[in-house]
Amino acid sequence: MTIPSVSPRGGKRLTVKAMAELLNVSTATISNAFNRPDQLSEAKRRWILEECRRLGYLGPNAAARSLRTGRTGIVGVMLADNLAYSLTDPVANEFLHGVAEEFDRRQLNLLLLSSHDDDPCRNRLQESMVDGFIIYGWLQESATYDRLLRHNKPLVAVDFDLEGCTWVNVDNYDGARRSAEHALATPPSNVAILGLRLVDSDRVCRVRDRELFNEVRAISVRRLHGYLDALSTAGHTVSPERIWSTPTNNHQDAYQAAREALTSSPRPDLLLCMSDRIALAAIQAALQMGLRVPEDLRVVGFDGIPEGANIHPSLTTVYQQSAEKGRTAARIFLGEQEDRNVLLRTRLLVRESCP
């Protein structure tokens, strides 16, 4: 069957009703061809789409549909880091996987947004398209929070506390403290801490007299306090000179910090690392320097990414429930879980790097 070519009257955009009349089918059939392909045979769906394309009909108007229902079926996930970095970070990947599992089940879509986008027009357009926001990670620019709050849409925060907003966090303090207590059961001679985003610097640096980020917002500062409290209880002190901060959770920065720590005097025989990526880079640096792990140097990580179990020596680390963070945030957003703050527990995984 072939439909003669037509032009919309007065050059106006074709509607779903007009297309239904032209193709002699119901408006629901046209809508299903675009939005619910499982409701039609493949042959019929293909025919409808081909005819719509030939006649210049682009499909049901999503913007108009959202005005009728008040929902677009799209949820914005605002990322503290840029998109390229977030998609290569194993912890962020697990979190997004957890969110996607829940939204796939409800046939909702994700729109990944980056807090690094400084185009106000694009921001307004993208943020107007979504039904609400899940914010992942601490956004240093407070104006972004203020802008999202002004939308008056559902909002869930992950990995930080935001006043007036339900949050999902991991117990970073407890996980860090317990990992340090395990490491200190065999008393070290010298301890160094390899931190992540402890201070406002875009370079690898020692903390020294720099001002730490706010503990309420920066999960790394919570981990630092967990380490320091365990050290203090065990009678150890770590000066700011022995604490490094890396600006990103990538191998290059982590390797640089590890090399600086391992060439400092006195050389540490215990490294407390605030991420598994940092810890893995530290093990690599140590082995390349001829040090034995754990005989000369013991290393503890934080995150529980799969790579830590697949190397030799395998990494002692704190496992955080990254995918569960995503699932929990999504369920709260969807109203399938009580709208209250959630603090997820961690688990210590003892392996070869710090037995």
Side-chain angles (χ1 to χ4, degrees):
M1 178 179 180
T2 303
I3 307 299
S5 177
V6 296
S7 299
R9 289 182 181 178
K12 293 183 179 180
R13 179 183 176 277
L14 282 168
T15 65
V16 64
K17 183 178 180 180
M19 286 305 306
E21 292 174 354
L22 285 169
L23 301 185
N24 196 28
V25 297
S26 68
T27 56
T29 299
I30 298 292
S31 179
N32 286 339
F34 284 91
N35 299 316
R36 301 186 66 189
D38 58 309
Q39 301 297 305
L40 303 175
S41 69
E42 180 59 28
K44 188 168 187 178
R45 175 176 178 267
R46 188 182 302 113
W47 172 72
I48 290 174
L49 293 179
E50 288 176 353
E51 289 301 313
C52 287
R53 185 163 44 250
R54 185 176 67 84
L55 297 172
Y57 177 67
L58 303 179
N61 189 321
R65 183 169 64 251
S66 70
L67 289 174
R68 291 194 303 271
T69 65
R71 299 185 67 83
T72 64
I74 304 171
V75 180
V77 177
M78 177 65 76
L79 302 166
D81 295 297
N82 62 53
L83 298 182
Y85 177 86
S86 298
L87 292 175
T88 57
D89 181 75
V91 177
N93 258 266
E94 287 191 35
F95 163 76
L96 290 172
H97 181 85
V99 172
E101 279 184 349
E102 296 298 322
F103 287 161
D104 279 348
R105 182 173 53 80
R106 289 286 296 269
Q107 296 185 319
L108 298 175
N109 294 307
L110 294 180
L111 178 62
L112 297 182
L113 306 169
S114 172
S115 64
H116 291 242
D117 189 342
D118 56 2
D119 185 325
C121 294
R122 184 163 56 237
N123 288 335
R124 285 194 296 270
L125 173 62
Q126 292 172 338
E127 291 162 11
S128 68
M129 295 168 57
V130 303
D131 296 326
F133 304 92
I134 294 176
I135 307 178
Y136 178 61
W138 172 42
L139 314 180
Q140 293 188 40
E141 179 53 64
S142 61
T144 304
Y145 293 121
D146 297 337
R147 189 179 71 243
L148 296 183
L149 289 169
R150 283 197 297 270
H151 285 284
N152 291 318
K153 295 181 178 181
L155 195 154
V156 178
V158 179
D159 271 354
F160 70 101
D161 301 355
L162 181 60
E163 187 176 354
C165 173
T166 303
W167 51 254
V168 179
N169 289 336
V170 166
D171 196 341
N172 290 281
Y173 172 87
D174 182 70
R177 177 160 187 161
R178 287 190 294 117
S179 69
E181 289 171 344
H182 165 76
L184 294 169
T186 301
S189 298
N190 295 286
V191 181
I193 296 173
L194 301 186
L196 175 64
R197 293 175 180 163
L198 292 170
V199 297
D200 188 8
S201 174
D202 59 359
R203 296 183 179 183
V204 173
C205 63
R206 302 191 199 198
V207 172
R208 292 179 177 155
D209 296 325
R210 297 171 185 264
E211 182 177 358
L212 296 176
F213 280 128
N214 186 325
E215 182 180 4
V216 173
R217 297 284 177 88
I219 60 174
S220 296
V221 178
R222 299 177 192 176
R223 295 178 188 178
L224 177 62
H225 287 170
Y227 292 149
L228 295 179
D229 285 352
L231 287 161
S232 176
T233 300
H236 293 268
T237 59
V238 177
S239 72
E241 286 282 338
R242 308 291 287 172
I243 303 173
W244 277 258
S245 177
T246 61
T248 62
N249 190 31
N250 66 32
H251 180 82
Q252 181 178 353
D253 287 344
Y255 186 84
Q256 178 184 338
R259 288 284 301 189
E260 289 184 13
L262 293 174
T263 54
S264 66
S265 182
R267 189 183 69 213
D269 57 351
L270 173 62
L271 287 179
L272 300 174
C273 304
M274 290 191 187
S275 81
D276 283 356
R277 275 191 163 180
I278 295 174
L280 294 174
I283 290 176
Q284 182 188 57
L287 296 177
Q288 290 177 347
M289 294 172 63
L291 300 175
R292 298 170 301 163
V293 178
E295 292 85 356
D296 302 320
L297 174 70
R298 289 178 296 133
V299 181
V300 176
F302 199 115
D303 286 332
I305 65 176
E307 290 86 340
N310 298 331
I311 66 164
H312 177 71
S314 55
L315 179 63
T316 293
T317 187
V318 177
Y319 172 76
Q320 65 160 309
Q321 304 177 64
S322 299
E324 184 57 28
K325 273 193 302 188
R327 287 189 286 265
T328 300
R331 289 193 296 265
I332 292 173
F333 182 91
L334 295 169
E336 298 179 354
Q337 184 168 324
E338 184 181 355
D339 188 10
R340 61 177 179 83
N341 298 334
V342 176
L343 188 65
L344 297 171
R345 297 299 302 271
T346 60
R347 187 170 77 252
L348 180 64
L349 302 178
V350 179
R351 299 187 181 124
E352 295 170 329
S353 69
C354 186

